[in-house]
Amino acid sequence: MGKVTGFMEYERLEEGYEPVTKRVKNYKEFVIGLSEPQAKQQGARCMDCGTPFCNSGCPVNNIIPDFNDLVYQGDWKNAIEVLHSTNNFPDFTGRVCPAPCEAACTLNINDDAVGIKSIEHAIIDRAWAEGWIKPQPATFKTGKKVAVVGSGPAGLAAAQQLARAGHAVTVFEKNDTAGGLLRFGIPDFKFDKSHIDRRVKQMEAEGVVFKTNTMVGELPKGSKVTNWAKDTVSPEQLKKEFDAVLLAGGAEQSRDLPVPGRDLDGIHFAMEFLPMQNRVNAGGKIKDQIMATGKHVIVIGGGDTGSDCVGTSNRHGAASVTQFEVMPQPPEQENKPLVWPYWPLKLRTSSSHEEGCVREFAVSTKAFIEGEGKDKGRIVGLKTVHVEFKDGKFVEIPGTEKEYKADLVLLAMGFVSPVASILESFGVEKDPRGNAKAGVDAQGGYRTSVDKVFAAGDMRRGQSLVVWAIREGRQAARAVDEFLMGSSTLPR
């Protein structure tokens, strides 16, 4: 604890944003990170608690008080060593993690939490700028081969850990570039894809082989998940050629809204809309790209994916953007004594909301309205009703029916499971939610019901955070290493 009275002397410093008028004209990152003196001051606020709840609040169990103190002391090189000891990719989490560690910060009981995420962001950016991040190839080879299916944060974390343990790792990705939903689901203005590219280069130097444009198994007919792959590999091939297989794909099965008019043109899943813009930003050409330009956009779903649709629609130049959430509006300030150190339910306003968006709460969509004449077959509006939650279900409130104009509707209500056919093609037993059934304790060890096939990340736990995916990838890597070698020195 570098400064004993720091938490009393200094206020929380927030990272800055570029002005709305400037940032909505492009797809570049717009967060202005802390300067070195600001990061040092923020680190001084850490109390180095006897029981640091931030550590347990963080899914990867970052050793937060230690790197806070190291930043305060100006020892940035050791700070990145401490950060990397628990997190392979702080350049990912320092940008897109919602920071449950800050909700668990002891200072958050009656004050503003330490800006842990902003310190993490500052550490990793400094480390890259100073050239401290280098490949760490294994000093010996085990002769064991591991296939990792999916190159999102879970797959990348697992692949890097396994390669550093000396295994020959091949990552299979159906898209033309690695990154999974991290690359194609999160807009560039929140997360520039160069952060993935330099990690992939690091991993290739560590011996990881990436096979992109390669689909493992087959997608079911009629699936809304786009298959960009040029090659196909069967599960039987992987099980035959590799000593272990780790399924680490994303939860890509979007939750649908089966109400009258759902088949009208102009209604799309968020994951049809968002990846198109990311591909265009990367220099690709998309035929019939879904555009919000000049349209009245309705986003159904109040989470992060919905917020991403809002920000992208604003950059397209939408005439208006409205976001629906079926749950009632949460309080602006949580009841801290009641919920601390857990993740609180409170109103969260994202940077995309600040760029222009009408938010409606406790709204349920009853039907989509079809146009007439030249708009026949297309959506021109939707019918809604306000609801309240009673006796375990949503109940309509009489007299609250309303119609909204809509040229484009984006469904962003979350994801229910991984694509079923992937698990079925491996013969993996599924849990009641449609995910791969695999325990995480010493007995389960991320193993599925199929011999030498493991599962981690969204594939196992369902839709979740990037930081949870990294945790699962790291733990699954240890489980695979133990399976192959009898024991493992990889951290959990």
Side-chain angles (χ1 to χ4, degrees):
M1 186 174 181
K3 191 168 181 61
V4 176
T5 56
F7 70 97
M8 295 187 291
E9 295 179 31
Y10 304 124
E11 295 181 354
R12 176 184 170 99
L13 293 173
E14 299 287 353
E15 294 181 313
Y17 291 161
E18 289 185 354
V20 171
T21 53
K22 180 179 179 180
R23 71 187 193 231
V24 295
K25 294 179 181 178
N26 59 68
Y27 294 89
K28 298 177 181 178
E29 286 186 7
F30 53 80
V31 173
I32 303 170
L34 301 182
S35 65
E36 185 171 343
Q38 288 174 328
K40 179 176 180 178
Q41 180 176 314
Q42 191 63 206
R45 297 184 71 235
C46 180
M47 298 184 290
D48 193 16
C49 308
T51 303
F53 287 88
C54 56
N55 285 19
S56 56
C58 171
V60 292
N61 303 122
N62 277 336
I63 311 169
I64 293 165
D66 289 31
F67 68 64
N68 283 344
D69 183 58
L70 288 166
V71 168
Y72 173 72
Q73 301 293 348
D75 190 352
W76 292 80
K77 195 166 186 178
N78 272 323
I80 188 59
E81 291 295 323
V82 170
L83 186 50
H84 268 151
S85 70
T86 55
N87 185 354
N88 296 65
F89 310 120
D91 25 10
F92 301 173
T93 53
R95 287 170 167 81
V96 299
C97 184
C101 54
E102 294 185 15
C105 174
T106 303
L107 194 56
N108 192 44
I109 295 175
N110 64 347
D111 200 350
D112 292 326
V114 175
I116 300 166
K117 179 180 174 181
S118 63
I119 294 173
E120 180 178 343
H121 188 180
I123 293 171
I124 187 62
D125 281 7
R126 174 74 177 269
W128 279 112
E130 296 287 350
W132 295 332
I133 300 175
K134 299 183 184 299
Q136 300 176 34
T139 55
F140 68 95
K141 298 296 183 182
T142 65
K144 303 291 185 179
K145 297 169 63 179
V146 182
V148 176
V149 180
S151 66
L156 292 176
Q160 185 167 63
Q161 293 293 95
L162 288 165
R164 290 177 177 179
H167 304 305
V169 182
T170 303
V171 178
F172 293 86
E173 169 59 51
K174 70 176 182 294
N175 290 290
D176 53 2
T177 42
L181 293 178
L182 194 66
R183 182 179 295 275
F184 296 105
I186 300 176
D188 290 3
F189 56 80
K190 284 177 61 175
F191 181 77
D192 191 274
K193 304 312 178 272
S194 62
H195 306 304
I196 305 173
D197 296 337
R198 60 188 179 186
R199 285 297 187 179
V200 168
K201 288 182 180 179
Q202 178 194 30
M203 292 172 65
E204 288 177 332
E206 293 171 348
V208 177
V209 175
F210 288 88
K211 288 194 174 182
T212 57
N213 275 321
T214 304
M215 181 73 191
V216 176
E218 296 181 357
L219 291 174
K221 292 182 179 180
S223 172
K224 290 288 186 179
V225 177
T226 304
N227 183 6
W228 299 88
K230 297 178 181 177
D231 298 316
T232 301
V233 176
S234 70
E236 289 72 24
Q237 283 179 268
L238 293 190
K239 288 187 284 186
K240 180 180 179 181
E241 295 176 13
F242 292 87
D243 299 295
V245 178
L246 174 62
L247 305 180
E252 295 182 273
Q253 198 68 49
S254 300
R255 182 173 284 107
D256 208 344
L257 185 60
V259 300
R262 171 61 181 90
D263 58 346
L264 294 173
D265 289 342
I267 305 171
H268 303 276
F269 288 120
M271 291 310 297
E272 294 176 84
F273 174 68
L274 295 172
M276 287 186 174
Q277 187 58 58
N278 284 5
R279 289 182 180 279
V280 169
N281 293 345
K285 293 183 179 179
I286 301 294
K287 183 180 180 181
D288 299 325
Q289 182 185 356
I290 303 167
M291 296 294 294
T293 311
K295 295 178 180 177
H296 296 282
V297 180
I298 301 288
V299 178
I300 301 179
D304 287 342
T305 304
S307 174
D308 294 343
C309 290
V310 170
T312 302
S313 296
N314 281 327
R315 283 159 179 75
H316 282 184
S320 68
V321 183
T322 304
Q323 185 177 24
F324 292 166
E325 168 57 58
V326 72
M327 299 298 292
Q329 181 172 331
E332 293 190 11
Q333 181 62 54
E334 76 271 27
N335 185 340
K336 289 186 177 182
L338 179 66
V339 300
W340 180 89
Y342 301 108
W343 185 248
L345 176 66
K346 67 177 182 178
L347 182 65
R348 303 176 192 277
T349 300
S350 72
S351 58
S352 291
H353 294 142
E354 294 170 351
E355 293 164 2
C357 174
V358 175
R359 303 171 74 183
E360 300 284 359
F361 293 88
V363 171
S364 177
T365 302
K366 296 191 69 174
F368 299 111
I369 303 172
E370 182 179 7
E372 300 177 352
K374 64 181 179 61
D375 289 325
K376 186 72 173 175
R378 284 199 55 81
I379 185 169
V380 295
L382 42 75
K383 297 179 181 179
T384 67
V385 64
H386 279 282
V387 294
E388 58 182 341
F389 200 66
K390 281 186 176 181
D391 300 323
K393 60 181 179 180
F394 288 105
V395 179
E396 295 182 4
I397 301 174
T400 61
E401 293 81 3
K402 186 176 179 180
E403 290 189 5
Y404 286 82
K405 185 174 182 179
D407 307 303
L408 175 63
V409 173
L410 301 171
L411 305 179
M413 302 174 294
F415 306 87
V416 293
S417 66
V419 177
S421 62
I422 304 300
L423 299 180
E424 290 167 358
S425 63
F426 274 92
V428 169
E429 184 181 352
K430 293 182 283 188
D431 67 16
R433 297 186 300 155
N435 304 315
K437 186 176 181 180
V440 297
D441 56 18
Q443 288 72 39
Y446 290 84
R447 295 191 192 190
T448 70
S449 58
V450 178
D451 182 44
K452 75 179 185 179
V453 177
F454 297 72
D458 288 5
M459 188 73 76
R460 190 199 70 83
R461 65 180 285 118
Q463 175 193 2
S464 193
L465 304 175
V466 169
V467 67
W468 268 109
I470 294 173
R471 173 197 171 104
E472 293 236 332
R474 288 172 61 89
Q475 290 192 332
R478 179 183 171 89
V480 171
D481 191 34
E482 287 179 334
F483 167 74
L484 295 174
M485 307 303 293
S487 63
S488 177
T489 58
L490 290 176
R492 281 184 61 89

